[in-house]
Coordinates of all heavy atoms in Angstrom, one line a residue:
M1 N 14.0 -12.7 -10.6 CA 14.3 -11.8 -9.4 C 14.9 -10.5 -9.9 O 15.6 -10.4 -10.8 CB 15.4 -12.6 -8.7 CG 15.8 -12.0 -7.4 SD 17.1 -12.8 -6.4 CE 16.8 -14.4 -6.5
G2 N 14.4 -9.4 -9.3 CA 14.7 -8.1 -9.7 C 15.9 -7.6 -8.9 O 16.4 -8.3 -8.0
I3 N 16.3 -6.4 -9.3 CA 17.5 -5.8 -8.6 C 17.2 -5.6 -7.1 O 18.0 -5.8 -6.3 CB 17.9 -4.5 -9.3 CG1 18.3 -4.8 -10.7 CG2 18.9 -3.7 -8.5 CD1 18.7 -3.6 -11.6
G4 N 16.0 -5.1 -6.8 CA 15.6 -4.8 -5.4 C 15.6 -6.0 -4.5 O 16.0 -6.1 -3.4
T5 N 15.1 -7.1 -5.1 CA 15.0 -8.3 -4.4 C 16.4 -8.9 -4.1 O 16.8 -9.3 -3.0 CB 14.2 -9.4 -5.1 OG1 12.9 -8.9 -5.4 CG2 14.1 -10.7 -4.3
S6 N 17.3 -8.8 -5.1 CA 18.7 -9.1 -4.9 C 19.4 -8.4 -3.9 O 20.2 -9.0 -3.0 CB 19.5 -9.0 -6.2 OG 18.8 -9.9 -7.2
I7 N 19.2 -7.1 -3.9 CA 19.9 -6.2 -2.8 C 19.4 -6.5 -1.5 O 20.0 -6.6 -0.5 CB 19.7 -4.7 -3.2 CG1 20.6 -4.4 -4.6 CG2 20.2 -3.8 -2.1 CD1 20.4 -3.0 -5.0
F8 N 18.0 -6.8 -1.4 CA 17.5 -7.1 -0.1 C 18.1 -8.4 0.4 O 18.3 -8.5 1.6 CB 16.0 -7.3 -0.3 CG 15.3 -7.7 1.0 CD1 15.0 -6.9 2.1 CD2 14.8 -9.1 1.0 CE1 14.4 -7.4 3.2 CE2 14.1 -9.5 2.2 CZ 14.0 -8.7 3.3
L9 N 18.2 -9.4 -0.5 CA 18.8 -10.7 0.0 C 20.3 -10.6 0.4 O 20.7 -11.1 1.5 CB 18.7 -11.7 -1.2 CG 17.4 -12.4 -1.4 CD1 17.5 -13.3 -2.6 CD2 16.8 -13.0 -0.2
I10 N 21.0 -9.7 -0.3 CA 22.5 -9.4 0.1 C 22.4 -8.8 1.5 O 23.2 -9.0 2.4 CB 23.1 -8.6 -0.9 CG1 23.3 -9.4 -2.2 CG2 24.5 -8.1 -0.5 CD1 23.8 -8.6 -3.4
A11 N 21.5 -7.8 1.7 CA 21.6 -7.0 3.0 C 21.1 -8.0 4.1 O 21.8 -7.9 5.2 CB 20.7 -5.8 2.9
L12 N 20.2 -8.7 3.9 CA 19.6 -9.6 4.9 C 20.6 -10.7 5.2 O 20.9 -11.0 6.4 CB 18.3 -10.4 4.4 CG 17.6 -11.3 5.5 CD1 17.1 -10.5 6.7 CD2 16.5 -12.0 4.8
G13 N 21.4 -11.2 4.2 CA 22.4 -12.1 4.5 C 23.6 -11.5 5.3 O 24.2 -12.1 6.2
A14 N 23.9 -10.3 4.9 CA 25.0 -9.6 5.6 C 24.6 -9.3 7.1 O 25.5 -9.5 8.0 CB 25.3 -8.3 5.0
I15 N 23.4 -9.1 7.4 CA 22.9 -8.8 8.8 C 23.0 -10.1 9.5 O 23.5 -10.1 10.7 CB 21.5 -8.3 8.7 CG1 21.6 -6.8 8.3 CG2 20.8 -8.3 10.2 CD1 20.1 -6.3 8.0
L16 N 22.5 -11.2 8.9 CA 22.6 -12.5 9.7 C 24.0 -12.9 9.9 O 24.3 -13.6 10.9 CB 21.8 -13.6 8.8 CG 20.3 -13.5 8.7 CD1 19.7 -14.5 7.8 CD2 19.7 -13.6 10.2
T17 N 24.9 -12.7 9.0 CA 26.3 -13.2 9.1 C 27.1 -12.3 10.0 O 27.7 -12.8 10.9 CB 26.9 -13.2 7.7 OG1 26.2 -14.1 6.8 CG2 28.3 -13.8 7.8
F18 N 27.1 -11.0 9.8 CA 28.0 -10.1 10.5 C 27.5 -9.4 11.6 O 28.1 -9.0 12.6 CB 28.5 -9.1 9.5 CG 29.2 -9.7 8.3 CD1 28.7 -9.5 7.0 CD2 30.3 -10.5 8.5 CE1 29.3 -10.1 5.9 CE2 30.9 -11.1 7.4 CZ 30.5 -10.8 6.2
A19 N 26.1 -9.0 11.7 CA 25.6 -8.2 12.8 C 24.9 -9.0 13.9 O 24.7 -8.5 15.0 CB 24.6 -7.2 12.1
L20 N 24.4 -10.2 13.5 CA 23.5 -10.9 14.6 C 24.4 -11.9 15.2 O 25.2 -12.6 14.7 CB 22.4 -11.6 13.7 CG 21.3 -12.2 14.6 CD1 20.6 -10.9 15.2 CD2 20.2 -12.8 13.6
D21 N 24.3 -11.9 16.6 CA 25.1 -12.9 17.4 C 24.1 -13.7 18.2 O 24.2 -13.7 19.4 CB 26.1 -12.1 18.2 CG 27.2 -13.0 18.8 OD1 27.4 -14.1 18.3 OD2 27.7 -12.7 19.9
A22 N 23.2 -14.4 17.5 CA 22.2 -15.2 18.2 C 22.4 -16.6 17.7 O 23.0 -17.0 16.7 CB 20.9 -14.7 18.0
S23 N 22.0 -17.6 18.6 CA 22.0 -18.9 18.2 C 20.6 -19.5 18.2 O 19.8 -19.3 19.1 CB 22.9 -19.7 19.1 OG 22.4 -19.7 20.5
V24 N 20.3 -20.2 17.1 CA 19.1 -20.9 17.0 C 19.4 -22.4 17.0 O 20.3 -22.8 16.3 CB 18.2 -20.5 15.8 CG1 17.0 -21.2 15.5 CG2 18.1 -19.0 15.7
G25 N 18.6 -23.2 17.7 CA 18.8 -24.6 17.7 C 18.8 -25.3 16.4 O 17.7 -25.4 15.8
G26 N 19.9 -25.9 16.1 CA 19.9 -26.7 14.7 C 20.2 -25.9 13.5 O 20.2 -26.4 12.4
I27 N 20.2 -24.5 13.6 CA 20.4 -23.7 12.4 C 21.6 -22.7 12.7 O 21.6 -22.1 13.7 CB 19.2 -22.9 12.1 CG1 17.9 -23.7 11.8 CG2 19.5 -21.9 11.0 CD1 16.7 -23.0 11.6
N28 N 22.6 -22.8 11.8 CA 23.8 -21.9 11.8 C 23.4 -20.7 11.1 O 23.3 -20.7 9.8 CB 25.0 -22.7 11.4 CG 26.2 -21.8 11.6 OD1 26.1 -20.7 12.0 ND2 27.4 -22.3 11.3
L29 N 23.1 -19.6 11.8 CA 22.7 -18.3 11.1 C 23.8 -17.8 10.2 O 23.6 -17.1 9.1 CB 22.3 -17.3 12.1 CG 21.0 -17.6 12.8 CD1 20.7 -16.5 13.8 CD2 19.8 -17.8 11.9
D30 N 25.1 -18.0 10.5 CA 26.2 -17.5 9.6 C 26.0 -18.2 8.2 O 26.2 -17.5 7.2 CB 27.5 -17.8 10.2 CG 27.8 -16.9 11.4 OD1 27.2 -15.9 11.5 OD2 28.7 -17.3 12.3
V31 N 25.8 -19.5 8.3 CA 25.7 -20.2 6.9 C 24.5 -19.7 6.2 O 24.6 -19.6 5.0 CB 25.6 -21.8 7.2 CG1 25.4 -22.5 5.9 CG2 26.9 -22.2 7.8
V32 N 23.4 -19.4 6.9 CA 22.2 -19.0 6.3 C 22.3 -17.7 5.6 O 22.0 -17.4 4.5 CB 21.0 -19.0 7.2 CG1 19.7 -18.3 6.7 CG2 20.6 -20.4 7.6
G33 N 23.2 -16.9 6.4 CA 23.5 -15.4 5.8 C 24.3 -15.6 4.6 O 24.1 -14.8 3.6
W34 N 25.4 -16.5 4.6 CA 26.1 -16.6 3.4 C 25.4 -17.1 2.2 O 25.6 -16.7 1.1 CB 27.4 -17.6 3.7 CG 28.5 -16.8 4.5 CD1 28.8 -17.0 5.9 CD2 29.4 -15.9 4.0 NE1 29.9 -16.3 6.1 CE2 30.2 -15.6 5.1 CE3 29.5 -15.2 2.8 CZ2 31.2 -14.5 5.0 CZ3 30.5 -14.2 2.7 CH2 31.4 -13.9 3.8
I35 N 24.5 -18.0 2.4 CA 23.7 -18.5 1.4 C 22.7 -17.4 0.8 O 22.7 -17.3 -0.4 CB 22.8 -19.8 1.9 CG1 23.7 -20.9 2.2 CG2 21.8 -20.1 0.9 CD1 23.0 -22.1 2.9
L36 N 22.2 -16.7 1.7 CA 21.3 -15.5 1.2 C 22.2 -14.5 0.5 O 21.7 -14.0 -0.6 CB 20.6 -14.8 2.4 CG 19.5 -15.6 3.0 CD1 19.0 -14.9 4.2 CD2 18.4 -15.9 2.1
M37 N 23.3 -14.3 0.9 CA 24.2 -13.3 0.1 C 24.5 -13.8 -1.3 O 24.6 -13.1 -2.2 CB 25.5 -12.9 1.0 CG 25.2 -11.9 2.0 SD 26.7 -11.3 2.8 CE 27.3 -12.7 3.6
G38 N 24.9 -15.2 -1.2 CA 25.3 -15.8 -2.5 C 24.1 -15.8 -3.5 O 24.2 -15.5 -4.7
A39 N 22.9 -15.9 -3.0 CA 21.7 -16.1 -3.8 C 21.4 -14.5 -4.3 O 21.0 -14.4 -5.5 CB 20.4 -16.6 -3.1
G40 N 21.7 -13.6 -3.5 CA 21.5 -12.2 -3.8 C 22.5 -11.8 -5.0 O 22.0 -11.1 -5.9
V41 N 23.7 -12.2 -4.8 CA 24.7 -11.8 -5.8 C 24.3 -12.6 -7.1 O 24.5 -11.9 -8.3 CB 26.1 -12.2 -5.3 CG1 27.1 -12.1 -6.4 CG2 26.5 -11.2 -4.2
L42 N 24.0 -13.8 -7.1 CA 23.7 -14.6 -8.3 C 22.5 -14.0 -9.0 O 22.4 -13.8 -10.2 CB 23.4 -16.0 -7.9 CG 23.1 -16.9 -9.1 CD1 24.3 -17.1 -10.0 CD2 22.7 -18.3 -8.6
G43 N 21.5 -13.6 -8.2 CA 20.2 -13.0 -8.7 C 20.6 -11.6 -9.4 O 20.1 -11.3 -10.4
L44 N 21.5 -10.8 -8.8 CA 21.9 -9.5 -9.3 C 22.7 -9.7 -10.6 O 22.4 -9.0 -11.6 CB 22.8 -8.8 -8.3 CG 23.0 -7.4 -8.5 CD1 21.8 -6.6 -8.5 CD2 24.0 -6.8 -7.4
I45 N 23.5 -10.7 -10.8 CA 24.2 -11.0 -12.0 C 23.3 -11.4 -13.1 O 23.3 -11.0 -14.2 CB 25.4 -12.0 -11.7 CG1 26.4 -11.5 -10.9 CG2 25.9 -12.5 -13.0 CD1 27.4 -12.4 -10.4
M46 N 22.4 -12.3 -12.7 CA 21.4 -12.7 -13.7 C 20.5 -11.7 -14.2 O 20.2 -11.6 -15.4 CB 20.6 -14.0 -13.2 CG 21.4 -15.2 -12.8 SD 22.2 -15.9 -14.2 CE 20.8 -16.5 -15.1
T47 N 20.1 -10.8 -13.3 CA 19.3 -9.7 -13.7 C 19.9 -8.8 -14.6 O 19.4 -8.2 -15.6 CB 18.7 -9.0 -12.4 OG1 18.0 -9.8 -11.5 CG2 17.8 -7.8 -12.8
T48 N 21.2 -8.4 -14.4 CA 21.9 -7.5 -15.2 C 22.2 -8.2 -16.6 O 22.1 -7.4 -17.5 CB 23.2 -7.0 -14.5 OG1 24.1 -8.1 -14.2 CG2 23.0 -6.2 -13.4
L49 N 22.4 -9.4 -16.6 CA 22.7 -10.1 -17.9 C 21.4 -10.1 -18.7 O 21.4 -9.8 -19.9 CB 23.0 -11.6 -17.7 CG 24.5 -11.7 -17.2 CD1 24.8 -13.3 -17.0 CD2 25.5 -11.2 -18.2
I50 N 20.2 -10.3 -18.1 CA 18.9 -10.4 -18.8 C 18.7 -9.0 -19.3 O 18.2 -8.7 -20.4 CB 17.9 -10.9 -17.9 CG1 18.0 -12.4 -17.9 CG2 16.4 -10.7 -18.6 CD1 17.1 -13.1 -16.9
W51 N 18.8 -7.9 -18.4 CA 18.4 -6.5 -18.8 C 19.4 -6.0 -19.9 O 19.0 -5.3 -20.7 CB 18.6 -5.6 -17.6 CG 17.3 -5.6 -16.8 CD1 16.4 -6.8 -16.6 CD2 16.6 -4.7 -16.1 NE1 15.4 -6.4 -15.7 CE2 15.6 -5.1 -15.4 CE3 17.1 -3.3 -15.8 CZ2 14.8 -4.3 -14.5 CZ3 16.4 -2.5 -15.0 CH2 15.1 -3.0 -14.4
G52 N 20.6 -6.5 -19.9 CA 21.6 -6.0 -20.9 C 21.2 -6.5 -22.2 O 21.4 -5.8 -23.2
R53 N 20.7 -7.7 -22.4 CA 20.2 -8.2 -23.6 C 19.0 -7.5 -24.2 O 18.8 -7.3 -25.3 CB 19.9 -9.7 -23.6 CG 21.2 -10.6 -23.4 CD 20.8 -12.0 -23.5 NE 21.9 -12.8 -23.3 CZ 22.0 -14.1 -23.0 NH1 20.8 -14.7 -22.8 NH2 23.1 -14.6 -22.8
R54 N 18.2 -7.1 -23.2 CA 17.0 -6.3 -23.6 C 17.3 -4.9 -24.2 O 16.6 -4.4 -25.1 CB 16.1 -6.0 -22.5 CG 15.2 -7.2 -22.1 CD 14.2 -6.7 -21.1 NE 13.7 -7.8 -20.3 CZ 12.9 -7.7 -19.3 NH1 12.7 -6.6 -18.8 NH2 12.4 -8.8 -18.8
R55 N 18.4 -4.3 -23.8 CA 18.7 -3.0 -24.2 C 19.7 -2.9 -25.4 O 20.2 -1.9 -25.8 CB 19.4 -2.2 -23.0 CG 18.5 -2.1 -21.9 CD 19.1 -1.5 -20.7 NE 18.2 -1.4 -19.6 CZ 17.5 -0.4 -19.2 NH1 17.6 0.7 -19.9 NH2 16.9 -0.4 -18.1
Q56 N 19.8 -4.0 -26.1 CA 20.7 -3.9 -27.3 C 19.9 -3.3 -28.4 O 18.6 -3.3 -28.5 CB 20.9 -5.4 -27.9 CG 22.0 -6.1 -26.9 CD 22.3 -7.5 -27.4 OE1 21.5 -8.0 -28.3 NE2 23.3 -8.1 -26.8
V57 N 20.6 -2.5 -29.2 CA 20.1 -1.7 -30.3 C 20.0 -2.6 -31.5 O 21.0 -3.3 -31.9 CB 20.9 -0.5 -30.6 CG1 20.3 0.3 -31.8 CG2 21.0 0.4 -29.3
V58 N 18.9 -2.7 -32.1 CA 18.7 -3.4 -33.4 C 18.7 -2.4 -34.6 O 18.0 -1.5 -34.6 CB 17.4 -4.2 -33.3 CG1 17.1 -5.0 -34.7 CG2 17.3 -5.1 -32.1
T59 N 19.6 -2.7 -35.4 CA 19.7 -1.8 -36.7 C 19.3 -2.6 -37.8 O 19.5 -3.8 -38.0 CB 21.2 -1.3 -36.9 OG1 22.0 -2.5 -37.0 CG2 21.6 -0.5 -35.6
T60 N 18.6 -2.0 -38.7 CA 18.2 -2.6 -40.1 C 18.9 -1.9 -41.2 O 19.3 -0.8 -41.2 CB 16.6 -2.4 -40.2 OG1 16.4 -1.0 -40.3 CG2 15.8 -3.0 -39.1
T61 N 19.1 -2.7 -42.3 CA 19.8 -2.2 -43.4 C 18.8 -1.9 -44.6 O 19.3 -1.8 -45.7 CB 20.8 -3.3 -43.9 OG1 20.0 -4.5 -44.2 CG2 21.8 -3.7 -42.9
E62 N 17.5 -1.8 -44.3 CA 16.5 -1.4 -45.2 C 16.6 0.0 -45.6 O 17.0 0.8 -44.9 CB 15.1 -1.7 -44.8 CG 14.8 -3.2 -44.4 CD 13.4 -3.4 -43.9 OE1 12.6 -2.5 -44.1 OE2 13.2 -4.4 -43.2
Q63 N 16.2 0.2 -46.9 CA 16.3 1.6 -47.4 C 15.0 2.3 -46.9 O 14.1 1.7 -46.7 CB 16.3 1.5 -49.0 CG 17.6 0.9 -49.6 CD 18.8 1.7 -49.2 OE1 18.7 2.9 -49.1 NE2 19.8 1.0 -49.0
P64 N 15.2 3.6 -46.8 CA 14.0 4.4 -46.3 C 12.9 4.4 -47.3 O 13.1 4.2 -48.5 CB 14.5 5.8 -46.1 CG 15.8 5.9 -46.8 CD 16.3 4.5 -46.9
V65 N 11.7 4.5 -46.9 CA 10.5 4.5 -47.6 C 10.5 5.8 -48.5 O 10.9 6.8 -48.0 CB 9.2 4.4 -46.7 CG1 8.0 4.4 -47.5 CG2 9.3 3.2 -46.0
E66 N 10.1 5.6 -49.7 CA 9.9 6.8 -50.5 C 8.8 7.7 -50.1 O 7.7 7.2 -49.7 CB 9.7 6.4 -52.0 CG 10.9 5.6 -52.6 CD 10.6 5.4 -54.1 OE1 9.6 6.0 -54.7 OE2 11.2 4.5 -54.6
Y67 N 9.0 9.0 -50.1 CA 8.0 9.9 -49.7 C 7.3 10.5 -50.9 O 7.8 10.7 -52.0 CB 8.7 11.1 -48.9 CG 9.3 10.6 -47.6 CD1 10.6 10.5 -47.5 CD2 8.5 10.5 -46.5 CE1 11.2 10.1 -46.3 CE2 9.0 9.9 -45.3 CZ 10.4 9.8 -45.3 OH 11.0 9.4 -44.0
R68 N 5.9 10.6 -50.8 CA 5.1 11.2 -51.8 C 4.7 12.7 -51.4 O 4.3 12.8 -50.2 CB 3.9 10.3 -52.0 CG 4.2 8.9 -52.6 CD 2.8 8.2 -52.8 NE 3.0 6.9 -52.4 CZ 2.0 6.0 -52.3 NH1 0.8 6.4 -52.5 NH2 2.3 4.8 -52.0
Q69 N 4.7 13.4 -52.4 CA 4.2 14.8 -52.1 C 2.7 14.9 -52.4 O 2.2 14.4 -53.4 CB 5.0 15.8 -53.1 CG 4.7 17.2 -52.7 CD 5.5 18.1 -53.6 OE1 6.2 17.7 -54.4 NE2 5.3 19.4 -53.4
V70 N 2.0 15.5 -51.3 CA 0.5 15.6 -51.4 C 0.3 17.1 -51.7 O 0.8 17.9 -51.0 CB -0.1 15.1 -50.1 CG1 -1.6 15.3 -50.1 CG2 0.3 13.7 -49.8
E71 N -0.5 17.4 -52.6 CA -0.8 18.7 -53.1 C -2.3 19.0 -52.7 O -3.1 18.1 -53.0 CB -0.5 19.1 -54.5 CG 1.0 19.0 -54.8 CD 1.2 19.1 -56.2 OE1 0.3 19.5 -56.9 OE2 2.4 19.1 -56.7
E72 N -2.6 20.0 -52.2 CA -4.1 20.4 -51.9 C -4.5 21.4 -53.0 O -3.8 22.4 -53.3 CB -4.2 21.1 -50.6 CG -5.5 21.5 -50.2 CD -5.6 22.0 -48.8 OE1 -4.5 22.1 -48.1 OE2 -6.7 22.5 -48.4
R73 N -5.7 21.0 -53.6 CA -6.3 21.9 -54.6 C -7.2 22.8 -54.0 O -8.1 22.4 -53.2 CB -7.0 21.0 -55.7 CG -6.1 20.2 -56.5 CD -6.7 19.4 -57.5 NE -7.5 20.3 -58.4 CZ -8.2 19.9 -59.4 NH1 -8.4 18.6 -59.6 NH2 -8.9 20.7 -60.1
R74 N -7.1 24.2 -54.3 CA -8.0 25.1 -53.9 C -8.8 25.9 -54.9 O -9.5 26.8 -54.6 CB -7.1 26.2 -53.1 CG -6.5 25.7 -51.8 CD -5.8 26.8 -51.1 NE -5.2 26.2 -50.0 CZ -5.7 26.4 -48.6 NH1 -6.9 26.8 -48.5 NH2 -5.0 25.8 -47.6
D75 N -8.8 25.3 -56.1 CA -9.6 25.9 -57.2 C -11.1 25.4 -57.2 O -11.9 25.9 -58.0 CB -8.8 25.7 -58.5 CG -8.7 24.2 -58.8 OD1 -8.8 23.4 -57.9 OD2 -8.5 23.8 -60.0
I76 N -11.4 24.4 -56.4 CA -12.7 23.9 -56.3 C -13.4 24.7 -55.2 O -13.0 24.8 -54.1 CB -12.7 22.5 -56.0 CG1 -12.0 21.7 -57.1 CG2 -14.1 21.9 -55.9 CD1 -11.7 20.2 -56.8
A77 N -14.7 25.2 -55.6 CA -15.4 26.0 -54.5 C -16.0 24.9 -53.5 O -16.4 23.9 -53.8 CB -16.6 26.7 -55.3
P78 N -16.0 25.5 -52.2 CA -16.6 24.6 -51.3 C -18.1 24.5 -51.4 O -18.8 25.2 -52.0 CB -16.4 25.4 -49.9 CG -16.2 26.8 -50.4 CD -15.6 26.8 -51.8
P79 N -18.7 23.4 -51.0 CA -20.1 23.0 -51.1 C -21.0 24.1 -50.4 O -20.5 24.7 -49.3 CB -20.4 21.7 -50.4 CG -19.1 21.4 -49.7 CD -18.0 22.3 -50.2
L80 N -22.2 24.3 -50.9 CA -23.0 25.3 -50.2 C -23.8 24.7 -49.2 O -24.4 23.9 -48.9 CB -24.0 26.0 -51.3 CG -23.1 26.8 -52.4 CD1 -24.1 27.3 -53.4 CD2 -22.5 27.9 -51.7

């Protein structure tokens, strides 16, 4: 679940819980809203934890590669 999906679930849950005053037979929209907000917050936390691990810097202790000097010879005549 991405950050956008998590924010969408939080917003949808908040709308169902706080802004909507309707009743549907057999379904409590306040509970559905709280569940959606909880799922959105959980998804947001999980996404940030996973993304945080991806952005860790990996350092190596290897020595740099030795560089070789390349010389160009100009004393040879070009082909005719």
Side-chain angles (χ1 to χ4, degrees):
M1 183 182 317
I3 294 175
T5 306
S6 299
I7 292 174
F8 175 75
L9 286 178
I10 293 170
L12 183 64
I15 289 170
L16 287 177
T17 302
F18 303 117
L20 198 62
D21 194 24
S23 61
V24 178
I27 297 175
N28 189 351
L29 292 180
D30 289 339
V31 173
V32 173
W34 282 109
I35 290 172
L36 288 176
M37 283 191 289
V41 168
L42 183 64
L44 194 60
I45 290 171
M46 295 299 291
T47 302
T48 54
L49 286 177
I50 291 172
W51 279 32
R53 288 186 181 164
R54 282 189 195 169
R55 296 179 187 259
Q56 288 179 349
V57 176
V58 177
T59 58
T60 59
T61 58
E62 296 179 21
Q63 298 295 325
V65 178
E66 292 182 20
Y67 295 103
R68 294 184 219 170
Q69 185 175 2
V70 178
E71 296 179 8
E72 183 179 351
R73 292 183 57 182
R74 295 189 180 256
D75 59 345
I76 302 173
L80 294 176

